[in-house]
Amino acid sequence: MPEVIFPLDSTKSFTEQKLTGHNRWHPDIPPVATLKRGESYRIDCREWFDGAIKNDDSADDIRDAPLNRVHALSGPFRIEGAEPGDLLIVDILDVGPIPQEEGPMAGQGWGYTGIFAQKNGGSFLVDQFPDAYKAVWDFRGGECTSRHIPGVKFTGMVHPGLMGTAPSSELLKTWNKREGDLIATDPQRVPPLALPPEPDAAILGSLTGTDFDRVAGEAARTAPPRENGGNQDIKNFTKGSRVFYPVYVSGANLSMGDLHFSQGDGEITFCGGIEMGGFIDIHVDVIKGGMDTYGVSENAIFMPGRNGPVYSEWLAFSGTSVTLDGEQRYLDSHLSYQRAILHAIDYLAKFGWSKEQAYLLLGAAPIEGRFSGVVDIPNSCATVYLPTEIFDVDIRPSASGPTQVDPGMGAPRAMNPG
């Protein structure tokens, strides 16, 4: 096993650990350790809410999830020899739940998926699903099942939802300017158009005093993906993947976290993967001057691993860029994917699952989402592929009609969601 360079004790909160990670992006957050080029390391990662979500039958914790505290990131790690303009190579050697542990922390044999309430971030389908719901998943080997969504079982596609390098001061200013300009176009919108710097609940490694206060007021939130990689939530970023990150500061300052046991394309419920804590083993190296050599000046490129689940039979749904009210939109692929997802939800509801159960399932299972047509005006076409093998019943259309499943207790909904 590689050296554990960032250990976490499951009985302690994220800020009580031997090494303190962070939950904001800023070039002045000090590295917790130095990683040598050509070496391999194990890094423990905490579930993104640091234990705020429980293994129970209530969604009140999803409704009240402390969004200001995310993400609980391991790092930053200085990479020996990395300088601005280089490309950082990160190989994912292994990734998984917390090894050999069962307990109350997500990752200790279980994880969760949540539909976020409109007043706390919302989701991809926030207009249709404005309230908070939750599903808890139990891990057994490489597979998972849920008491909240009976009748399905699938193999996990384990991956880090978030990994990235620190921004330069100039890049950080660019982020804050452009996102602030967007917020200013509709500052009262719920959910907001973007998340500005927020000192409340900031975790900034070993910074203290006036340095902490300054950085907390400038640092970018970790929710969106940006030029440095960040919270890209790519389900195919699995064991065996190799990623190339732009380096913007001396040492690169690599960070990671937000592990998922599985996820569908798009992480459509916002808390859409099966969230968990765990570990990731990485190997690092550097391509000197790689940003200019390969034209990778922004946004990471990566080579997917070959360790995802193998499903060979699918049922696919399509959607076009027409709203539920019948309004025509011009090549709106985002809307097309929403409509494809809604068609899949409506279809699964015919078998007895609630629409909330279907939505949670599509956020957690390894569905394939694709932009299938983006040139034929005025309608773009998006598709979503469901692996049919994950269901206990045959979900393919037939003359006999849908087989009815027992939906069990259903997906818990938060009390007093309004």
Side-chain angles (χ1 to χ4, degrees), residues 146-185:
S146 174
R147 63 184 181 272
H148 298 131
I149 311 176
V152 295
K153 178 171 68 174
F154 52 87
T155 301
M157 201 165 185
V158 184
H159 60 279
L162 193 157
M163 186 183 292
T165 54
S168 65
S169 296
E170 294 75 16
L171 183 57
L172 177 62
K173 291 177 182 177
T174 296
W175 293 352
N176 288 339
K177 172 65 166 59
R178 73 188 183 201
E179 292 172 25
D181 289 346
L182 177 61
I183 293 170
T185 65

Side-chain angles (χ1 to χ4, degrees), residues 173-236:
K173 291 177 182 177
T174 296
W175 293 352
N176 288 339
K177 172 65 166 59
R178 73 188 183 201
E179 292 172 25
D181 289 346
L182 177 61
I183 293 170
T185 65
D186 190 359
Q188 304 304 316
R189 185 179 186 271
V190 178
L193 290 169
L195 300 173
E198 174 56 75
D200 179 54
I203 303 172
L204 304 173
S206 60
L207 284 180
T208 59
T210 57
D211 286 337
F212 182 99
D213 294 340
R214 173 183 60 83
V215 170
E218 300 171 350
R221 304 288 292 278
T222 58
R226 298 185 181 94
E227 288 88 334
N228 67 328
N231 193 32
Q232 295 182 299
D233 291 312
I234 300 170
K235 81 175 195 308
N236 300 88

